[in-house]
Amino acid sequence: MQHRLQALRKALTEWQADAIITGKPVNRRYISGFTGSAGWVIVTARDAVLLTDFRYIDQAKSEAPDFRVINHERDEKAAIYKQLQELGVKRLAFEKAHITFATYEEWSQVFGGVELVPVAGVFEQIRAVKDEDELKVVREAVRIADEAFTHILSYIRPGVRELDIALELEFFMRKQGAASSSFDIIVASGQRGALPHGAASEKEIAAGELVTLDYGALYKGYCSDITRTVAVGEPPAKMREIYEIVLEAQLNGVGSIKSGMTGKEADALTRDIIAAAGYGAEFGHSTGHGFGLEVHEAPSLAMSSQTVLKPGMLVTVEPGIYLSGVGGVRIEDDVLITESGCEILTKSPKELLILPV
Ligand code: ZN
Ligand code: ZN
């Protein structure tokens, strides 16, 4: 974890802050290794302190060896303030996107002599580039999702409810070692395929429909996120047509994305193909997003994104076309940005699979 602390300390000097505090679970975990559900970390140029409660003291000591672990007992705010005073903190950076207004008000009252400095995206920028330890875990989260796709193909048939498919995916991934799915599983069949975030419903699959499955595994704190769209029996010609367009766009995306591009340029790799085919207005979301400890994190592959892609970033590439009242197609891979291009982590097939009815 030392290299993560180093990166954070570098950011601290840029903000001219003496310390940064976070209680956001994924940031706390990222910087300290502590996986418990409560606590605060304070990092200064020289020190690193983790305050948590009685339930977690032993766990924190073993998971966060680079941190001094302190039991904050009943008065958490007073305990934090005591540490700030001992550490000589005059300017305390806090994450303005994650601290509630109520907490800000309380800290302002209790932390006499400490200036609260609102900052944004400090941990998130560091987290965007993954280290080897993280990649190892993510590869396993992706492997579980790929295995689940192979498994679910024999389960999908006319008459099965979307909810049952979602449950079977989750059950399979947990048996493979996942703690849970990485978000609410999307199973959207037939007309429901036009809902980009169609959570699995009681609808039964019917012959001739496309089924979009969007899911991932949460494994050792890290997410995978994959989408495949399959046909149950022969699909209508229109759906075949949009499938081929989305596939061409997706292949161009993973074939051309590389470090040095902006998020906007990466987004155009899929968007331009879909727009040229006449479906620009039916592709209403961005091309992809970073993933890691959170299923959506920096960087974003979107028209508005000026973030420059770097080797070690993990992103999804997931174009789609959604025809209201008709159906939809989305295909999503997880990729690792490299110097010269990307490594596609998800291995599940992408040519249209037509399942027997
Ligand atoms: Zn997804
Ligand atoms: Zn996604």
Side-chain angles (χ1 to χ4, degrees), residues 99-140:
I99 291 295
T100 65
F101 189 65
T103 298
Y104 176 77
E105 275 188 332
E106 288 164 2
W107 284 1
S108 301
Q109 282 162 15
V110 176
F111 298 174
V114 176
E115 188 187 344
L116 296 173
V117 181
V119 297
V122 174
F123 285 90
E124 286 75 6
Q125 267 180 39
I126 300 169
R127 279 171 43 204
V129 176
K130 272 66 182 177
D131 58 38
E132 283 306 319
D133 292 341
E134 295 182 288
L135 291 176
K136 235 166 88 182
V137 178
V138 167
R139 283 177 196 281
E140 183 61 12

Side-chain angles (χ1 to χ4, degrees), residues 183 214-215 225-227 289 318 330 332:
F183 55 92
D214 186 351
Y215 64 95
D225 179 11
I226 182 175
T227 306
H289 53 84
E318 51 175 309
R330 179 169 62 261
E332 173 179 32

